[in-house]
Amino acid sequence: MNSKNDYLMDIFENRYTCKGYDPEKTVSDEGFNTIMEVARLSPSSNGFEPWKFIRLNNRDIIEELRPHAWGAANAFNGASHIVLILAKTTEEILPGSDYLERIYTEIQKYPEELSKQRRENYDHFYKEDFNLAENERAGFDWTSKQCYIPLANMLTAAAVLGIDSTPIEGFHQEKVHEILTKHHVYDPKEYKIAIMAAFGYTNRDHREKKRRPLSEVWETVE
């Protein structure tokens, strides 16, 4: 490689969604922990980090999910790590909620005057800019969108480490949510599943990457 640009482009040219995993190969703890640190360090709107990541190892729960998660079939059959990415519920990100107050006071620790301004800005954002108060679903949809930021970073980190991965949203959200909360995987008052991801090592060759040309997806407006 002649430059960082070449290295970066090589990573993205050769990152594929894994369609089949070798069950005999396991991602190391070091590699997986690095992927999860990348997720933790990912940016989020207002710095709210409206997510949680759960590695699901329980085979009984996985088998119960299988009929409702067609997009995870190949991953369930051989990936060494299955990750549930949860998004905060609408109630958790209401202006003035206990969760947001903890973010302001314990995590961000801005000076009081700046924290006050940030609260006021978010209140306007919530009610006016993005109209998250429009209906019960709007807030959760917004937190779910945030979850795709760490997901993308996790996929890229895996590719850098030579680990294969699959983003998974091919599942019946309500039925999967019902199963996971029935088994107390998470508290439905705080979270709901947004997406899944799998990590491991492929058992097959990938086809050539197909994408629209850059001229179709990017332009400059002067």
Side-chain angles (χ1 to χ4, degrees):
M1 294 296 170
N2 297 322
S3 69
K4 291 181 179 180
N5 285 343
D6 292 334
Y7 175 72
L8 182 63
M9 291 311 302
D10 183 66
I11 292 295
F12 278 92
E13 288 286 355
N14 292 284
R15 199 219 74 79
Y16 297 87
T17 293
C18 187
K19 301 299 184 183
Y21 288 90
D22 185 343
E24 300 300 318
K25 295 182 179 180
T26 301
V27 175
S28 68
D29 289 343
E30 181 182 18
F32 185 67
N33 289 341
T34 297
I35 291 170
M36 295 316 303
E37 272 295 286
V38 166
R40 184 182 72 86
L41 294 171
S42 295
S44 59
S45 182
N46 291 280
F48 287 163
E49 306 173 48
W51 50 55
K52 185 174 182 178
F53 310 94
I54 294 178
R55 181 185 175 188
L56 184 61
N57 285 338
N58 188 302
R59 291 307 308 184
D60 291 335
I61 297 177
I62 287 173
E63 291 307 314
E64 192 171 347
L65 293 176
R66 188 183 292 275
H68 311 295
W70 56 269
N74 291 328
F76 285 172
N77 288 339
S80 69
H81 291 67
I82 302 294
V83 178
L84 311 175
I85 303 179
L86 314 179
K88 280 289 188 180
T89 60
T90 297
E91 290 74 14
E92 287 284 286
I93 52 95
L94 291 172
S97 71
D98 290 344
Y99 174 72
L100 294 190
E101 286 304 308
R102 176 175 177 267
I103 291 293
Y104 289 130
T105 59
E106 297 181 26
I107 306 301
Q108 297 179 345
K109 298 181 180 179
Y110 287 114
E112 181 56 37
E113 188 60 33
L114 181 55
S115 288
K116 178 182 177 182
Q117 185 62 54
R118 288 175 64 82
R119 286 178 176 88
E120 292 174 355
N121 290 346
Y122 177 64
D123 187 75
H124 187 273
F125 171 86
Y126 186 91
K127 295 175 181 177
E128 302 292 337
D129 293 342
F130 265 47
N131 195 17
L132 300 182
E134 179 181 15
N135 56 58
E136 185 177 350
R137 176 80 189 208
F140 173 71
D141 285 346
W142 180 70
T143 59
S144 294
K145 291 176 183 177
Q146 302 299 309
C147 290
Y148 283 75
I149 301 173
L151 170 67
N153 288 340
M154 292 163 72
L155 302 180
T156 301
V160 170
L161 297 173
I163 297 167
D164 296 298
S165 62
T166 307
I168 303 164
E169 62 176 5
F171 58 89
H172 192 292
Q173 191 176 52
E174 291 301 329
K175 290 179 180 177
V176 167
H177 175 68
E178 180 181 340
I179 291 168
L180 294 174
T181 55
K182 178 184 70 175
H183 289 286
H184 307 291
V185 174
Y186 57 84
D187 185 346
K189 294 181 181 179
E190 294 186 69
Y191 295 102
K192 187 174 182 180
I193 185 152
I195 194 169
M196 305 179 196
F199 301 91
Y201 294 96
T202 188
N203 64 359
R204 66 192 69 186
D205 292 332
H206 296 292
R207 70 171 188 161
E208 181 184 356
K209 178 168 284 193
K210 305 292 185 182
R211 292 292 188 274
R212 288 188 292 156
L214 188 62
S215 60
E216 287 190 21
V217 299
W218 177 53
E219 65 177 276
T220 300
V221 177
E222 301 291 357

